[in-house]
Amino acid sequence: MADRLFRFGVVAASAADAGEWAGLARRAEDLGYATFLTPDTLNTLPPLLALSAAASATTTIGLGTFVLAVPYRRPEQVAWEVAGMNFLSGGRFELGLGAGRPDAREDTARLGVPFGSYDERIRRLEEVIRQVRKWPAVGSAAPGPTPRVLIAAAGARMLGFAARNADTVAVALDAGTPEDGLAEPVRLLRLASDDFDRLEISTGLHVVGDEVPPWLARQLGPDVPEDSIAVLRGTPREMADRLLRRRDAYQASYITVNAMFAERLAPVVELLAGT
């Protein structure tokens, strides 16, 4: 990843029906996005089922979880289903993992599984990665490609773990974080990694443009700074230049965006993808 080429991903969680869901995936592919991604909550579509449907509707776009919460499933179950997803997608699958967001505890209670302590969830994350990397291919005698692994990380310990175990690190910062707030996470990744140049660094956009739906504005709150890492405004050229400066300063080259803003970001994708 020394060249830090730009990639862009669309994060989609739900649709009115199966046809609309397939259409979202095809549209992301047509717009030049590198990946079509799904979250892992009990209020959204089951991620691997949803991505299987997206795989059938598309031909080239990558498909990924953003991110699987490791407390929800046994490591062996994840490895088995990931091998199947990799086969069904023709090797286009990318595995995103996380130790569990704070409100995931409520989901684990509904699923009847333990949320676990932070230490236990880190160990579970390590075991999931180990199982995925050793699990035999399904559906074919030939071994399948090992999927890229993305880990969402915020604190120092998780960033260190991700630096040593992931191909991509999604730096999970609050929308109120100014752009220079990336400096410390990137410093920690550099210190912890034995090959920092191979790491792809990802950041997410919550808002693109000046028009923000009222419900999203309420969710973000009043204190989001103009230089927030989660907000991108201006002309396509101005937005592209800001992402270029961010890459130069903090090496962030994989940009994800909520599906509601996929069309609005598309001109920037056209300018930067693969450069």
Side-chain angles (χ1 to χ4, degrees):
M1 294 306 303
D3 291 337
R4 307 285 181 194
L5 302 181
F6 276 109
R7 295 201 302 156
F8 293 85
V10 171
V11 184
S14 60
D17 53 39
E20 183 178 285
W21 178 255
L24 282 173
R26 283 193 294 268
R27 186 58 180 154
E29 185 173 72
D30 291 343
L31 290 172
Y33 284 90
T35 51
F36 185 72
L37 308 165
T38 58
D40 187 19
T41 80
L42 298 191
N43 297 317
T44 56
L45 289 167
L48 293 171
L49 288 175
L51 291 173
S52 294
S56 297
T58 57
T59 57
T60 59
I61 195 168
L63 305 149
T65 50
F66 200 77
V67 292
L68 285 187
V70 296
Y72 293 2
R73 306 164 185 85
R74 287 183 54 81
E76 294 83 356
Q77 178 189 353
V78 175
W80 175 38
E81 294 186 359
V82 164
M85 186 63 220
N86 216 22
F87 170 74
L88 292 171
S89 66
R92 291 185 282 145
F93 181 65
E94 300 187 15
L95 175 61
L97 296 168
R101 66 199 185 287
D103 59 351
R105 185 183 294 275
E106 297 175 10
D107 285 354
T108 58
R110 289 179 63 191
L111 291 168
V113 296
F115 185 60
S117 68
Y118 189 64
D119 285 348
E120 288 169 336
R121 284 179 282 132
I122 291 285
R123 289 196 294 271
R124 175 65 68 93
L125 183 55
E126 189 172 28
E127 179 63 12
V128 167
I129 294 170
R130 191 181 74 82
Q131 289 289 344
V132 165
R133 288 178 171 161
K134 78 167 193 175
W135 200 265
V138 299
S140 171
T146 301
R148 289 185 63 84
V149 173
L150 174 149
I151 295 177
R157 183 177 175 189
M158 194 66 179
L159 286 163
F161 179 89
R164 295 185 295 272
N165 292 278
D167 301 297
T168 301
V169 180
V171 180
L173 297 175
D174 186 83
T177 304
E179 198 158 87
D180 62 8
L182 281 168
E184 180 63 7
V186 171
R187 185 187 72 83
L188 293 171
L189 290 172
R190 190 185 293 275
L191 285 174
S193 176
D194 58 2
D195 186 5
F196 179 73
D197 283 345
R198 74 169 177 81
L199 277 182
E200 180 180 57
I201 297 174
S202 176
T203 59
L205 295 173
H206 297 334
V207 174
V208 178
D210 295 317
E211 296 178 18
V212 184
W215 65 267
L216 183 56
R218 289 193 297 271
Q219 188 180 91
L220 294 175
D223 300 323
V224 177
E226 271 302 309
D227 65 341
S228 163
I229 61 167
V231 177
L232 200 60
R233 296 191 171 102
T235 67
R237 184 67 261 171
E238 289 168 340
M239 290 191 282
D241 287 344
R242 182 172 172 194
L243 292 180
L244 283 164
R245 291 192 297 271
R246 184 181 298 177
R247 183 178 65 177
D248 288 345
Y250 307 112
Q251 292 77 53
S253 60
Y254 181 26
I255 312 300
T256 60
V257 66
N258 189 292
M260 75 174 69
F261 295 112
E263 297 279 351
R264 206 176 289 178
L265 189 65
V268 180
V269 175
E270 185 175 2
L271 286 169
L272 294 182
T275 66

